[in-house]
Every structure is written in C-alpha cells, then in structure tokens.
C-alpha cells in the first residue's frame, strides 16, 4: 500500500502516521524528519536546509526529490510506504507521476488554521525517531520524555508562532493546490482520495483513516 498524508503543518500527519504504518506494516517517509536528521548530523544538506526550514519556507524540489528517490529504492519500501509531508508542491507530485510511482490512497487531514497555532505551541518531539506528543492533547507517559526510549523531548525550532504562520501561508499557496491535483487523479480512477476532519481526538481520526483505507 502506498499512501500520501496531506495536510497543513500541525494537522497531525506525524501523529496519524504512527497508527497507519503499524496497521499496514509500511515505513513512514517524512521528508521533514529526514531533513531534521541531516541538520543534526551537520551534513552539507542539513546546513542548507536549516535556514530555509527555520524561516518556514520550502526546501528546493530537487533536493527533496533526490532524498525521496533514494529512500524509496530501499528494501523496506517494497510493499509500500507512507509519505508524510511529501509531496508538497505540484512539481513534486508531478515527478511521482512522471516516474510511474502510483499512489493507492491520498488522505487529506483538514484542520482550521486557528486551531493549528494552538497545537504547535504544545508540541514536543523525540528528534531521533520523529515521535510527536502534545503537552495537553497527547502527553507522554513521563513528562518531557519519549515513551519508547526515555530520552528527552524537545520543542521544534520552527514551532514559534510567527514561523507557524509563515508555514501556514506557504501551505495554502504551494501545497493546497495538491488537493485538486489528487482529486483529479481520483476522478480518473488512478488513486483513492479521502478527506478527513482532523479536528477531533487522535484515536477517532486514526480509526476513521484505517477504516477508509481498508475499504
Ligand atoms: P514537516 O516536518 O513535514 O512539517 P509540517 O508539514 O509543517 O508538519 P508538522 O510536522 O509540523 O505537523 P504534523 O502534521 O506532522 O503534525 P503532528 O502530528 O506533529 O516539515 C518541516 C519543514 O521541512 C518544512 O517547513 C519545510 O521547510 C521542510 N520540508 C519538509 N518536507 C518538504 C518537502 N516535501 N518539500 C519542501 N520542503 C519540505 O501534530 C502537531 C501537534 O498537534 C503535536 O503536538 C500533536 O501531538 C498534536 N496533535 C496531533 N493530532 C491532534 C489532534 N487530533 N488533536 C489535538 N492535538 C493533536
Ligand atoms: Zn510532522
């Protein structure tokens, strides 16, 4: 199963990815997590990406497509994968079509902008795994610690309110056109498209997504 999770920053893509990847035994491919790993390792790519990400802008399509193509060539992607935060521009989506990489389902998570700013201020992440928590809505078992490793949780540098607002603006301008792009593909029978109200409790959303994907 090849799935795309589409939605604005803070819609819950990373959160829902945890359930979907478990249910369908597929790896999560988060371009955001991959870029954050590169920043942590201090690679040339990481250095380039950091300034762009901290400003809430998008990393270039060429860099992202290079990362994704290398990742999906790996053995664990044979039975599918879950894209989280990719594609994010029409050229990225078109590159998948041009490379004959078909997608079984696109899941769009819908959350109003004003709710997103609130969510981001309480987000805490385990950088090494990408596991995501919220101090109120989805707290870890032990405050400030990852449930699995017990390591420290941190605040993402791009979660400052003004940066979140820039990211939302970028989403509406550059990523939202993908909604029509994939609805068109769905109308041609080339993928399935599910719009999900993601302004509900995490488990309710997860159950609905899994039910829709199982058809
Ligand atoms: P990326 O890491 O992809 O960030 P994003 O899309 O902005 O999304 P987030 O990770 O912020 O949110 P999410 O939807 O995963 O929500 P989460 O589950 O964490 O990208 C970061 C940057 O990298 C980009 O800005 C760009 O610069 C670059 N980049 C990445 N991919 C790129 C690409 N393809 N092309 C170009 N540039 C790229 O949830 C958020 C919070 O809400 C958490 O605290 C969570 O616990 C809580 N929460 C989740 N669900 C609920 C719920 N139902 N109710 C209440 N709280 C909830
Ligand atoms: Zn995420």
């Amino acid at each position: 199963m090849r799935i795309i999770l589409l939605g604005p920053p803070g819609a819950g893509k990373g959160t829902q990815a945890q359930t979907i990847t478990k249910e369908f035994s597929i790896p999560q491919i988060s371009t955001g997590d991959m870029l954050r790993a590169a920043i942590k390792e201090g690679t040339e790519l990481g250095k380039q990406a950091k300034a762009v990400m901290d400003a809430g802008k998008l990393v270039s399509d060429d860099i992202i497509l290079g990362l994704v193509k290398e990742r999906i060539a790996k053995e664990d992607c044979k039975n599918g994968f879950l894209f989280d935060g990719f594609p994010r521009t029409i050229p990225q989506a078109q590159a998948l079509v041009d490379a004959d990489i078909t997608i079984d389902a696109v899941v769009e998570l819908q959350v109003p902008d004003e709710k997103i700013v609130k969510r981001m201020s309480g987000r805490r992440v385990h950088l090494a795994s990408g596991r995501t928590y919220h101090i109120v809505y989805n707290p870890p078992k032990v405050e400030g610690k990852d449930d699995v490793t017990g390591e420290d949780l941190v605040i993402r540098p791009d979660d400052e309110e003004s940066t979140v607002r820039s990211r939302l603006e970028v989403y509406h301008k550059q990523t939202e056109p993908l909604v029509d792009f994939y609805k068109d593909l769905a109308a041609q029978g080339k993928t399935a498209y599910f719009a999900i109200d993601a302004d509900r409790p995490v488990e309710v959303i997860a159950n609905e997504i899994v039910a829709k994907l199982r058809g």
Side-chain angles (χ1 to χ4, degrees):
M1 178 96 103
R2 293 173 177 174
I3 305 166
I4 291 174
L5 261 182
L6 184 64
K13 300 183 296 294
T15 301
Q16 296 301 330
Q18 293 181 31
T19 305
I20 301 169
T21 52
K22 234 184 261 161
E23 284 288 325
F24 296 95
S25 304
I26 49 176
Q28 171 190 8
I29 301 183
S30 159
T31 41
D33 285 351
M34 290 162 83
L35 294 168
R36 280 183 289 277
I39 292 174
K40 206 168 167 216
E41 285 160 23
T43 64
E44 200 43 52
L45 163 68
K47 282 179 200 151
Q48 280 178 35
K50 184 168 176 18
V52 178
M53 290 170 77
D54 284 353
K57 304 225 171 83
L58 294 184
V59 173
S60 79
D61 290 334
D62 285 351
I63 289 181
I64 297 291
L65 288 167
L67 278 178
V68 169
K69 285 195 172 153
E70 196 181 317
R71 179 65 188 85
I72 63 177
K74 293 201 171 142
E75 187 66 27
D76 65 336
C77 290
K78 267 205 164 139
N79 296 320
F81 43 76
L82 174 71
F83 281 143
D84 157 6
F86 172 87
R88 231 177 170 96
T89 62
I90 293 285
Q92 290 179 17
Q94 188 58 46
L96 291 179
V97 173
D98 294 345
D100 283 326
I101 300 165
T102 53
I103 300 296
D104 299 298
V106 178
V107 177
E108 182 202 350
L109 301 179
Q110 300 177 326
V111 184
D113 284 10
E114 62 274 22
K115 293 281 177 79
I116 285 170
V117 179
K118 216 165 156 193
R119 278 190 189 180
M120 300 306 230
S121 63
R123 172 159 63 180
R124 299 293 181 271
V125 293
H126 178 241
L127 272 186
S129 68
R131 267 185 296 278
T132 301
Y133 304 85
H134 189 283
I135 51 175
V136 178
Y137 307 126
N138 186 19
K141 289 182 187 125
V142 178
E143 196 186 321
K145 303 284 178 197
D146 176 44
D147 285 355
V148 178
T149 62
E151 289 167 0
D152 284 345
L153 301 177
V154 299
I155 297 178
R156 256 171 59 174
D158 57 347
D159 276 351
E160 199 216 318
E161 184 170 335
S162 62
T163 313
V164 170
R165 293 197 187 277
S166 308
R167 288 160 63 201
L168 279 169
E169 206 176 299
V170 166
Y171 177 80
H172 292 304
K173 243 191 233 152
Q174 293 185 258
T175 307
E176 216 163 25
L178 295 185
V179 169
D180 282 340
F181 182 94
Y182 284 113
K183 281 184 177 167
D184 279 351
L185 283 191
Q188 298 167 44
K190 292 181 179 165
T191 191
Y193 193 93
F194 304 115
I196 306 279
D197 171 6
D199 186 14
R200 295 179 294 165
V202 171
E203 298 74 20
V204 174
I205 300 164
N207 289 340
E208 183 173 327
I209 293 174
V210 170
K212 291 241 160 91
L213 289 173
R214 291 210 187 285

